[in-house]
Amino acid sequence: MGVLTNKIEREDLKPGDHIYSYRLAYTYSHHGIYVDEGNVIHFTQGEGQETGTGTVLDRFIGSSLPQRRPLDDPCPICDDQSKGDGVISSCIDCFLSGGDLYLYEYDVTRKLFLAKPRGGTCTLASSESPEKVIHRAFYFLRKGFGVYDVIKNNCEDFALCCKTGLRVIPTVGQSRQASSFQAAASAGGILTATVSMARSSILGVAGLAASCGTYCVKRYINDIGVRRDVENVVLEEET
């Protein structure tokens, strides 16, 4: 683990780990909970369903789906999950869809959090025990996790909830990845206005520093380990 990458090997996985893999040339990552023996529980958006964001992020929603395989060659473990939606269980190969494996970090220091170049890789929040994490994942597999929304209720939100037992009171959603996109958009306004000046003036350099600062601050205040508009998720007793 380090500042630049959270990449791990499969043999280092432990039940209850929050894992992710990048899609679409590293523009978006898909998250899930590793439960046991190569199985991952994760939250997906079904093909052809509306995301309701009306933004460029809608393009990335299909990356949460397991990789489509030829109909005459389905996964021997998962069969064809290309049309699946909601919380599903997949083998790790279908979850990764050909991508590399990364481990999401919990209880990181503020210094490390701010040093990370992108969101969706770590949080200041602490994880609960692997037993509780796995119990929540299987509960949501049976009961669902609501309607998928790329901003307010996505795969990272699902994994964060399984790990911490916390969920942001429905307004914005807690996904670090989505928050990073929004923070980058805000910082981008400053960046666009100053990048040309940065080549020749101290003022331009200051503007670039300000845009980076805006990005980091917005990521920080939206982290589930810091924000106060969260609630503990109570699982209904099953009979």
Side-chain angles (χ1 to χ4, degrees), residues 127-145:
S127 171
E128 295 197 323
S129 69
E131 293 77 15
K132 288 185 177 181
V133 174
I134 293 171
H135 175 71
R136 286 195 192 97
F138 276 105
Y139 176 88
F140 292 132
L141 179 62
R142 295 188 298 270
K143 296 291 189 177
F145 195 69

Side-chain angles (χ1 to χ4, degrees), residues 75-149:
C75 173
I77 299 173
C78 305
D79 201 11
D80 178 19
Q81 292 189 323
S82 63
K83 297 184 184 301
D85 68 277
V87 181
I88 64 175
S89 178
S90 304
C91 71
I92 194 164
D93 287 320
C94 286
F95 172 81
L96 293 175
S97 292
D100 291 325
L101 175 65
Y102 297 84
L103 179 68
Y104 199 101
E105 294 182 274
Y106 283 78
D107 201 24
V108 301
T109 64
R110 186 186 308 177
K111 181 178 179 181
L112 178 59
F113 181 88
L114 294 174
K116 290 284 187 178
R118 67 183 296 169
T121 61
C122 65
T123 176
L124 287 86
S126 297
S127 171
E128 295 197 323
S129 69
E131 293 77 15
K132 288 185 177 181
V133 174
I134 293 171
H135 175 71
R136 286 195 192 97
F138 276 105
Y139 176 88
F140 292 132
L141 179 62
R142 295 188 298 270
K143 296 291 189 177
F145 195 69
V147 178
Y148 194 107
D149 186 292

